[in-house]
Amino acid sequence: MSEQLSFVSPTANSPWGTYLSQVDRVVPYLGPLARWVETLKRPKRALIVDVPIEMDDGSIAHFEGYRVQHNMSRGPGKGGIRFHPDVTLEEVMALSAWMTIKTAAVNLPYGGAKGGIRVDPKKLSPQELEKVTRRYTSEIGIIIGPHTDIPAPDVNTNAQIMAWMMDTYSMNVGGTATGVVTGKPLHLGGSLGRVKATGRGVFVTGREAARRLGINLRGARIAVQGFGNVGSVAAELFAEAGAKIVAVQDHTGTIVNTNGLDLAKLVPISRTDGVVGFKAGGDIVPNEDFWNTPCDILIPAALEGQLTAERAQKTTAKLVLEGANGPTVPQADDILAERGVLVVPDVICNAGGVTVSYFEWVQDFSSFFWDEDEINVRLDRIMMNALNQIWDTADKHKITLRTATYAVACERILMARQERGLYP
Ligand code: GLU
């Protein structure tokens, strides 16, 4: 018997609602461990903080920040920090829960956590951005730490922001605690290969899924939504393998070229002007047309809830690679499964980032740094082992890769929960 707490109740079609329905689907495959499943439906701890700063014009602004530690049964909390004007507590709860599933799916010794600030960083000066980051870090400093909860980059955060976080935490504890965050600059305990790791993981899992489906990457048509750190790196790696990137969408619009976009030109232009800045290299089309551009592989690598039922009905893709967290709503998942479209779910597809974060954290503690080849070989091995195990589980129970990933991950998490026992 459990009381339903108000802050864990989902709103309709929200990321947290999506997560809860993903957990419900795995219950029949958990055996006696199903007894513990309620653990996964409640965050362990959620902190809301006020982040006041003095703006450049002398006014005082307040932003709302969050850090949610969803589960720590298998190790310290782990997960990124998102700066976005639409961030809410409920969204951060879902993102933290997906981290719990993700770290367990690739068998890293972590739980799951996530943080965010409800702010549009594009509207802040560099000084204001630094103040927001430092004050937020100081406020959540009571629950983060190298052995308790380790933040990292996510949407709109980067290595510079991680450096400020590391410095603020270090100043407060009176030492240099490089292991408190990952995704740091290279000369501050960062790891080679971390920036490209998430996109590389999407490529590694996508290459294997394409092989199993009999899709030849040479000439395969790919549509990418979101052209930041994940989407652009994955696009480059697929293009190197011979694929054609036929459509790209970002916050500025959608560009299509059925002969394949020239990434060597598109990528640098997109960093300053967005993808519509590359008008010369393709046709700018209405955003909704992105979803029916003929393609073989679709990579949603932006925000949650983008692949709706209607868009799932329209897509011509045979393979969906979830570079983003939570891009597909449950109804769309069902439609894609019925239509025979294979989905490599976020919790394995984009796990390359947190895997190299783990390498960074291990290197920080041992003060011994690996070369980039070693990072990439180990990343490839961990992701392939995890994907193969998930695929075997999917084949055994005749279930989707998403439910199979949850089955593998939830068994690890709930087994740890059971073995630790309840305190007191
Ligand atoms: N933000 C990334 C994710 O969603 C990486 C998290 C990490 O490295 O801890 O997986």
Side-chain angles (χ1 to χ4, degrees):
M1 228 203 57
S2 309
E3 292 291 323
Q4 184 67 47
L5 301 177
S6 62
F7 85 109
V8 296
S9 312
T11 52
N13 265 334
S14 65
W16 182 244
T18 296
Y19 165 73
L20 291 180
S21 90
Q22 290 164 344
V23 171
D24 283 338
R25 287 170 185 213
V26 78
V27 173
Y29 307 98
L30 294 178
L33 287 173
R35 169 173 180 251
W36 293 94
V37 81
E38 186 70 19
T39 307
L40 295 168
K41 296 187 173 184
R42 290 158 187 264
K44 174 184 173 61
R45 187 178 287 134
L47 182 64
I48 305 178
V49 296
D50 176 36
V51 183
I53 63 156
E54 185 174 355
M55 304 291 278
D56 293 350
D57 66 4
S59 63
I60 309 293
H62 290 259
F63 301 96
E64 194 162 285
Y66 316 94
R67 183 74 185 171
V68 177
Q69 296 169 341
H70 173 259
N71 189 284
M72 293 176 161
S73 291
R74 302 178 61 259
K78 186 85 194 82
I81 305 282
R82 175 172 295 203
F83 287 0
H84 197 280
D86 299 332
V87 166
T88 60
L89 174 63
E90 193 185 335
E91 181 192 27
V92 177
M93 279 162 50
L95 292 164
S96 69
W98 283 321
M99 289 308 302
T100 301
I101 305 295
K102 196 184 301 186
T103 55
V106 280
N107 213 1
L108 305 177
Y110 288 135
K114 200 88 174 195
I117 307 179
R118 198 170 165 81
V119 62
D120 185 351
K122 292 182 190 78
K123 293 195 178 141
L124 298 180
S125 71
Q127 294 73 21
E128 291 165 345
L129 184 66
E130 180 172 350
K131 284 185 194 170
V132 162
T133 304
R134 287 185 181 277
R135 181 61 190 250
Y136 167 75
T137 307
S138 212
E139 293 296 340
I140 66 165
I142 53 174
I143 61 166
I144 63 168
H147 296 287
T148 46
D149 181 3
I150 306 111
D154 196 74
V155 174
N156 292 332
T157 56
N158 56 24
Q160 175 61 73
I161 289 171
M162 294 307 115
W164 290 329
M165 290 190 74
M166 188 280 263
D167 181 67
T168 305
Y169 180 86
S170 296
M171 297 304 286
N172 286 345
V173 298
T176 294
T178 52
V180 68
V181 290
T182 57
K184 299 178 296 294
L186 274 184
H187 43 272
L188 270 185
S191 176
L192 290 165
R194 175 61 186 87
V195 173
K196 296 198 166 183
T198 313
R200 183 173 290 279
V202 172
F203 173 71
V204 169
T205 53
R207 182 187 57 196
E208 174 62 11
R211 188 190 66 77
R212 289 184 182 235
L213 290 183
I215 299 174
N216 188 350
L217 285 186
R218 203 146 274 291
R221 299 161 304 168
I222 303 190
V224 186
Q225 189 206 29
F227 213 53
N229 188 35
V230 182
S232 68
V233 172
E236 283 174 326
L237 292 169
F238 278 110
E240 266 170 42
K244 283 194 294 191
I245 310 303
V246 292
V248 175
Q249 181 177 96
D250 72 359
H251 64 284
T252 63
T254 303
I255 185 162
V256 170
N257 184 335
T258 50
N259 296 319
L261 290 153
D262 182 350
L263 292 187
K265 293 194 177 125
L266 173 61
V267 173
I269 291 176
S270 73
R271 295 221 172 97
T272 50
D273 303 339
V275 297
V276 299
F278 190 46
K279 282 185 200 67
D283 299 321
I284 309 299
V285 302
N287 275 339
E288 203 47 42
D289 288 359
F290 170 82
W291 302 97
N292 44 24
T293 306
C295 66
D296 305 298
I297 301 175
L298 173 64
I299 308 182
L303 295 171
E304 306 90 59
Q306 293 298 302
L307 195 40
T308 57
E310 198 193 325
R311 291 168 178 173
Q313 205 61 263
K314 284 202 268 207
T315 185
T316 56
K318 293 167 205 69
L319 174 61
V320 174
L321 305 175
E322 293 189 337
N325 290 309
T328 310
V329 303
Q331 219 190 336
D333 241 349
D334 293 341
I335 292 169
L336 293 168
E338 271 161 35
R339 295 188 56 218
V341 181
L342 185 81
V343 178
V344 182
D346 48 5
V347 281
I348 175 69
C349 190
N350 71 35
V354 71
T355 301
V356 178
S357 275
Y358 167 60
F359 297 162
E360 178 174 333
W361 185 72
V362 168
Q363 292 170 88
D364 286 341
F365 280 119
S366 60
S367 300
F368 179 78
F369 291 85
W370 313 345
D371 65 31
E372 194 159 0
D373 274 353
E374 181 160 5
I375 304 272
N376 290 341
V377 167
R378 284 179 189 259
L379 172 64
D380 205 290
R381 196 187 308 140
I382 286 184
M383 299 222 43
M384 286 298 295
N385 285 344
L387 186 64
N388 287 332
Q389 186 182 1
I390 287 162
W391 218 297
D392 290 346
T393 305
D395 287 346
K396 183 171 149 207
H397 296 294
K398 306 217 170 351
I399 51 180
T400 63
L401 284 184
R402 189 182 317 277
T403 302
T405 309
Y406 275 66
V408 170
C410 293
E411 186 182 331
R412 288 188 182 132
I413 302 157
L414 299 180
M415 190 64 95
R417 168 76 284 181
Q418 178 168 275
E419 283 165 348
R420 285 178 69 155
L422 282 178
Y423 169 86

